[in-house]
Amino acid sequence: MSVFIKNGTVVNADQSFKADVLCDGGRIVAVGEDIDAPSSAEIIDASGQYVMPGGIDPHTHMQMPFMGTTASEDFYTGTAAGLAGGTTMIIDFVIPAPQERLLDAYEKWRGWAEKASADYSFHVAVTWWDDSVHEDMGTLVHERGVNSFKHFMAYKNIMMADDEIMANSFRRALELGAIPTVHAENGELVYQLQQEMLKAGITGPEAHPLSRPPAVEGEAADRAIRFAQTFNVPLYIVHNSCKDSVDAITRARAEGHRVYGECLAGHLLIDDSVYRHPDFEFAAAHVMSPPFRAPEHQDALWRALQGGNLQTTATDHCCFCADQKAMGREDFTKIPNGTGSVEDRLAVIWDAGVNTGRLTMNEFVAVTSTNTAQIFNVYPRKGTVSVGADADVVVWDPEGTRTISAKTHHQNVDFNIFEGRTVRGVPSHTVSQGRIVWRDGELRAERGAGRYIDRPPFARPFDGMDERARRNAPQKVERT
Ligand code: URQ
Ligand code: ZN
Ligand code: ZN
């Protein structure tokens, strides 16, 4: 079946132009004027609308086992909710338990993801180290289409990667042409501050941000960057929430290092006052790490997105319902960390970014789709409306409005962090693999239709070193 999107304006990261788009066999086969579409094609009239590459969310945790429970959103419900919001691909995380073989964990997550209704891929976390991890990283890159490895610098005693693990893994990633990524928070400092809060009798969600101040994030971001600089490997820092980590990235990029930064829709729009809300349920529903920050940090995130020092936006979609959050009613350190927004990312960033003039439409496409495709090496299969690309397309109605609510969203969670926010700019249609899966409020997601997307390794600079690294390479001094 073909889909013919006519009368719209194509908006890519590099240009906008009036054109029709024909999708056939899951691919975009023509973009332009006077396209000869088959009479059997399903038609989308995109008059007055924008035709953009489907969103790619580089950071989700569907049905993740975590902190004694499992995230409520599974790969089917989560990807379906994404489609309703214009997101056509996610990159989720395989997180091996300490001592669990990376390959075993990877196969387990692949099994869980078979029910996905949109395309997906996996970063794999390195949570421990021995020779088998070294070997499995190679197999994952060469035979399983993984080109990114995640390091949690937080979550002491759960999955924290210490300096030794990070050093071993960053070196191995360089050898393999893969990119290390980090959750940047100093896990030891968080742990000690949490104990202090509990000792002081501050046991509610208000203690969560107090135990994870911006300095804790800035320290870890800077440390990860220094590791990456030491080994001359690129680095991607997930969910930057504050000025401290943005400044570390900005500094490194000014020094010529390939350091990329992501920020979350939630961190751009929500501030830390939510943790001081008198209702436990409301405050706990916002417990995620890093926490929501004071407003000046949101300004820093927007400025970095505008200036190009942050390149991607994500959601860190990791949902827990009220009964799960209640596990931490007496002790905030036991509240499962995570919030959701896979359905809402595009709309809230359009509304707060494009409608306010902070982002151009092309920049919006860059930070919601194209840059992620490029950084994680699936471009131009994904991230562009161009001939030959996968037919993952969102038709965007800039005048459509929606008031976000847990009562009407498609996410499998009983809370929405954007509850009550009215956005202007919504997807009227989402096309996934050439099928119309969202049409004027009707979701036609198909369980199991999502495909695993291989991400090949990156071309390496000669010998793993650029010119500067070669100049600075250690040399033995021959003495007489
Ligand atoms: O840290 C993360 O990214 C995961 C485990 C989800 N939870 C969260 O609070 N961000
Ligand atoms: Zn994280
Ligand atoms: Zn995460």
PDB file of all heavy atoms in Angstrom, residues 258-275:
ATOM      1  N   ARG A 258      34.671  15.989  20.573  1.00  0.00           N
ATOM      2  CA  ARG A 258      33.349  15.551  20.131  1.00  0.00           C
ATOM      3  C   ARG A 258      32.536  15.085  21.337  1.00  0.00           C
ATOM      4  O   ARG A 258      32.532  13.904  21.677  1.00  0.00           O
ATOM      5  CB  ARG A 258      33.492  14.401  19.131  1.00  0.00           C
ATOM      6  CG  ARG A 258      33.484  14.868  17.713  1.00  0.00           C
ATOM      7  CD  ARG A 258      33.614  13.740  16.729  1.00  0.00           C
ATOM      8  NE  ARG A 258      34.412  14.237  15.627  1.00  0.00           N
ATOM      9  CZ  ARG A 258      35.710  14.058  15.493  1.00  0.00           C
ATOM     10  NH1 ARG A 258      36.372  13.332  16.353  1.00  0.00           N
ATOM     11  NH2 ARG A 258      36.339  14.585  14.469  1.00  0.00           N
ATOM     12  N   VAL A 259      31.921  16.036  21.994  1.00  0.00           N
ATOM     13  CA  VAL A 259      31.064  15.725  23.137  1.00  0.00           C
ATOM     14  C   VAL A 259      29.657  16.193  22.781  1.00  0.00           C
ATOM     15  O   VAL A 259      29.470  17.347  22.392  1.00  0.00           O
ATOM     16  CB  VAL A 259      31.556  16.430  24.416  1.00  0.00           C
ATOM     17  CG1 VAL A 259      30.616  16.147  25.578  1.00  0.00           C
ATOM     18  CG2 VAL A 259      32.972  15.982  24.759  1.00  0.00           C
ATOM     19  N   TYR A 260      28.707  15.278  22.870  1.00  0.00           N
ATOM     20  CA  TYR A 260      27.320  15.590  22.513  1.00  0.00           C
ATOM     21  C   TYR A 260      26.463  15.561  23.768  1.00  0.00           C
ATOM     22  O   TYR A 260      26.725  14.786  24.693  1.00  0.00           O
ATOM     23  CB  TYR A 260      26.779  14.551  21.516  1.00  0.00           C
ATOM     24  CG  TYR A 260      27.637  14.409  20.282  1.00  0.00           C
ATOM     25  CD1 TYR A 260      28.459  13.298  20.104  1.00  0.00           C
ATOM     26  CD2 TYR A 260      27.628  15.395  19.297  1.00  0.00           C
ATOM     27  CE1 TYR A 260      29.250  13.166  18.971  1.00  0.00           C
ATOM     28  CE2 TYR A 260      28.415  15.275  18.157  1.00  0.00           C
ATOM     29  CZ  TYR A 260      29.224  14.158  17.999  1.00  0.00           C
ATOM     30  OH  TYR A 260      30.004  14.045  16.882  1.00  0.00           O
ATOM     31  N   GLY A 261      25.404  16.387  23.763  1.00  0.00           N
ATOM     32  CA  GLY A 261      24.543  16.444  24.948  1.00  0.00           C
ATOM     33  C   GLY A 261      23.075  16.371  24.587  1.00  0.00           C
ATOM     34  O   GLY A 261      22.634  16.939  23.584  1.00  0.00           O
ATOM     35  N   GLU A 262      22.351  15.680  25.444  1.00  0.00           N
ATOM     36  CA  GLU A 262      20.900  15.487  25.286  1.00  0.00           C
ATOM     37  C   GLU A 262      20.214  16.244  26.417  1.00  0.00           C
ATOM     38  O   GLU A 262      20.760  16.357  27.512  1.00  0.00           O
ATOM     39  CB  GLU A 262      20.664  13.976  25.409  1.00  0.00           C
ATOM     40  CG  GLU A 262      19.249  13.503  25.661  1.00  0.00           C
ATOM     41  CD  GLU A 262      19.266  12.031  26.096  1.00  0.00           C
ATOM     42  OE1 GLU A 262      19.524  11.146  25.270  1.00  0.00           O
ATOM     43  OE2 GLU A 262      19.012  11.772  27.310  1.00  0.00           O
ATOM     44  N   CYS A 263      19.014  16.746  26.165  1.00  0.00           N
ATOM     45  CA  CYS A 263      18.190  17.210  27.283  1.00  0.00           C
ATOM     46  C   CYS A 263      16.773  16.684  27.110  1.00  0.00           C
ATOM     47  O   CYS A 263      16.387  16.276  26.016  1.00  0.00           O
ATOM     48  CB  CYS A 263      18.214  18.728  27.435  1.00  0.00           C
ATOM     49  SG  CYS A 263      17.517  19.604  26.053  1.00  0.00           S
ATOM     50  N   LEU A 264      16.045  16.674  28.198  1.00  0.00           N
ATOM     51  CA  LEU A 264      14.714  16.065  28.208  1.00  0.00           C
ATOM     52  C   LEU A 264      13.638  17.136  28.122  1.00  0.00           C
ATOM     53  O   LEU A 264      13.784  18.239  28.671  1.00  0.00           O
ATOM     54  CB  LEU A 264      14.502  15.255  29.491  1.00  0.00           C
ATOM     55  CG  LEU A 264      15.544  14.197  29.820  1.00  0.00           C
ATOM     56  CD1 LEU A 264      15.129  13.443  31.088  1.00  0.00           C
ATOM     57  CD2 LEU A 264      15.773  13.238  28.668  1.00  0.00           C
ATOM     58  N   ALA A 265      12.525  16.761  27.486  1.00  0.00           N
ATOM     59  CA  ALA A 265      11.385  17.678  27.414  1.00  0.00           C
ATOM     60  C   ALA A 265      11.009  18.150  28.822  1.00  0.00           C
ATOM     61  O   ALA A 265      10.755  19.335  29.047  1.00  0.00           O
ATOM     62  CB  ALA A 265      10.207  16.965  26.750  1.00  0.00           C
ATOM     63  N   GLY A 266      11.013  17.243  29.780  1.00  0.00           N
ATOM     64  CA  GLY A 266      10.619  17.596  31.151  1.00  0.00           C
ATOM     65  C   GLY A 266      11.552  18.620  31.771  1.00  0.00           C
ATOM     66  O   GLY A 266      11.107  19.600  32.381  1.00  0.00           O
ATOM     67  N   HIS A 267      12.867  18.401  31.604  1.00  0.00           N
ATOM     68  CA  HIS A 267      13.817  19.352  32.196  1.00  0.00           C
ATOM     69  C   HIS A 267      13.723  20.739  31.561  1.00  0.00           C
ATOM     70  O   HIS A 267      14.061  21.745  32.186  1.00  0.00           O
ATOM     71  CB  HIS A 267      15.253  18.821  32.053  1.00  0.00           C
ATOM     72  CG  HIS A 267      15.587  17.742  33.035  1.00  0.00           C
ATOM     73  ND1 HIS A 267      16.248  16.585  32.678  1.00  0.00           N
ATOM     74  CD2 HIS A 267      15.352  17.629  34.363  1.00  0.00           C
ATOM     75  CE1 HIS A 267      16.398  15.813  33.744  1.00  0.00           C
ATOM     76  NE2 HIS A 267      15.861  16.430  34.783  1.00  0.00           N
ATOM     77  N   LEU A 268      13.267  20.803  30.321  1.00  0.00           N
ATOM     78  CA  LEU A 268      13.135  22.103  29.660  1.00  0.00           C
ATOM     79  C   LEU A 268      11.965  22.907  30.225  1.00  0.00           C
ATOM     80  O   LEU A 268      11.949  24.124  30.147  1.00  0.00           O
ATOM     81  CB  LEU A 268      12.920  21.914  28.151  1.00  0.00           C
ATOM     82  CG  LEU A 268      14.153  21.521  27.331  1.00  0.00           C
ATOM     83  CD1 LEU A 268      13.741  21.023  25.951  1.00  0.00           C
ATOM     84  CD2 LEU A 268      15.123  22.700  27.207  1.00  0.00           C
ATOM     85  N   LEU A 269      10.988  22.210  30.783  1.00  0.00           N
ATOM     86  CA  LEU A 269       9.710  22.884  31.069  1.00  0.00           C
ATOM     87  C   LEU A 269       9.237  22.847  32.513  1.00  0.00           C
ATOM     88  O   LEU A 269       8.315  23.574  32.880  1.00  0.00           O
ATOM     89  CB  LEU A 269       8.618  22.265  30.182  1.00  0.00           C
ATOM     90  CG  LEU A 269       8.818  22.575  28.696  1.00  0.00           C
ATOM     91  CD1 LEU A 269       7.956  21.696  27.827  1.00  0.00           C
ATOM     92  CD2 LEU A 269       8.511  24.027  28.434  1.00  0.00           C
ATOM     93  N   ILE A 270       9.810  21.962  33.308  1.00  0.00           N
ATOM     94  CA  ILE A 270       9.276  21.802  34.680  1.00  0.00           C
ATOM     95  C   ILE A 270      10.367  22.178  35.673  1.00  0.00           C
ATOM     96  O   ILE A 270      11.536  21.816  35.477  1.00  0.00           O
ATOM     97  CB  ILE A 270       8.828  20.337  34.885  1.00  0.00           C
ATOM     98  CG1 ILE A 270       7.621  20.062  33.979  1.00  0.00           C
ATOM     99  CG2 ILE A 270       8.484  20.055  36.347  1.00  0.00           C
ATOM    100  CD1 ILE A 270       7.268  18.607  33.846  1.00  0.00           C
ATOM    101  N   ASP A 271       9.987  22.893  36.740  1.00  0.00           N
ATOM    102  CA  ASP A 271      11.025  23.267  37.711  1.00  0.00           C
ATOM    103  C   ASP A 271      10.870  22.500  39.026  1.00  0.00           C
ATOM    104  O   ASP A 271       9.920  21.740  39.217  1.00  0.00           O
ATOM    105  CB  ASP A 271      11.088  24.792  37.911  1.00  0.00           C
ATOM    106  CG  ASP A 271       9.865  25.310  38.645  1.00  0.00           C
ATOM    107  OD1 ASP A 271       9.517  24.744  39.690  1.00  0.00           O
ATOM    108  OD2 ASP A 271       9.248  26.286  38.157  1.00  0.00           O
ATOM    109  N   ASP A 272      11.822  22.726  39.901  1.00  0.00           N
ATOM    110  CA  ASP A 272      11.947  21.904  41.109  1.00  0.00           C
ATOM    111  C   ASP A 272      10.887  22.186  42.169  1.00  0.00           C
ATOM    112  O   ASP A 272      10.842  21.498  43.199  1.00  0.00           O
ATOM    113  CB  ASP A 272      13.352  22.064  41.708  1.00  0.00           C
ATOM    114  CG  ASP A 272      13.666  23.514  42.055  1.00  0.00           C
ATOM    115  OD1 ASP A 272      12.884  24.418  41.670  1.00  0.00           O
ATOM    116  OD2 ASP A 272      14.697  23.752  42.715  1.00  0.00           O
ATOM    117  N   SER A 273      10.007  23.153  41.938  1.00  0.00           N
ATOM    118  CA  SER A 273       8.959  23.418  42.945  1.00  0.00           C
ATOM    119  C   SER A 273       8.030  22.203  43.091  1.00  0.00           C
ATOM    120  O   SER A 273       7.375  22.039  44.121  1.00  0.00           O
ATOM    121  CB  SER A 273       8.143  24.655  42.551  1.00  0.00           C
ATOM    122  OG  SER A 273       7.552  24.468  41.282  1.00  0.00           O
ATOM    123  N   VAL A 274       7.998  21.332  42.067  1.00  0.00           N
ATOM    124  CA  VAL A 274       7.100  20.166  42.141  1.00  0.00           C
ATOM    125  C   VAL A 274       7.424  19.275  43.346  1.00  0.00           C
ATOM    126  O   VAL A 274       6.527  18.607  43.881  1.00  0.00           O
ATOM    127  CB  VAL A 274       7.179  19.301  40.841  1.00  0.00           C
ATOM    128  CG1 VAL A 274       6.562  20.047  39.667  1.00  0.00           C
ATOM    129  CG2 VAL A 274       8.617  18.889  40.522  1.00  0.00           C
ATOM    130  N   TYR A 275       8.675  19.294  43.779  1.00  0.00           N
ATOM    131  CA  TYR A 275       9.054  18.406  44.894  1.00  0.00           C
ATOM    132  C   TYR A 275       8.587  18.933  46.243  1.00  0.00           C
ATOM    133  O   TYR A 275       8.612  18.227  47.239  1.00  0.00           O
ATOM    134  CB  TYR A 275      10.576  18.199  44.921  1.00  0.00           C
ATOM    135  CG  TYR A 275      11.071  17.545  43.651  1.00  0.00           C
ATOM    136  CD1 TYR A 275      11.923  18.229  42.782  1.00  0.00           C
ATOM    137  CD2 TYR A 275      10.679  16.256  43.318  1.00  0.00           C
ATOM    138  CE1 TYR A 275      12.365  17.630  41.615  1.00  0.00           C
ATOM    139  CE2 TYR A 275      11.117  15.652  42.150  1.00  0.00           C
ATOM    140  CZ  TYR A 275      11.958  16.348  41.304  1.00  0.00           C
ATOM    141  OH  TYR A 275      12.390  15.763  40.143  1.00  0.00           O
TER     142      TYR A 275
END
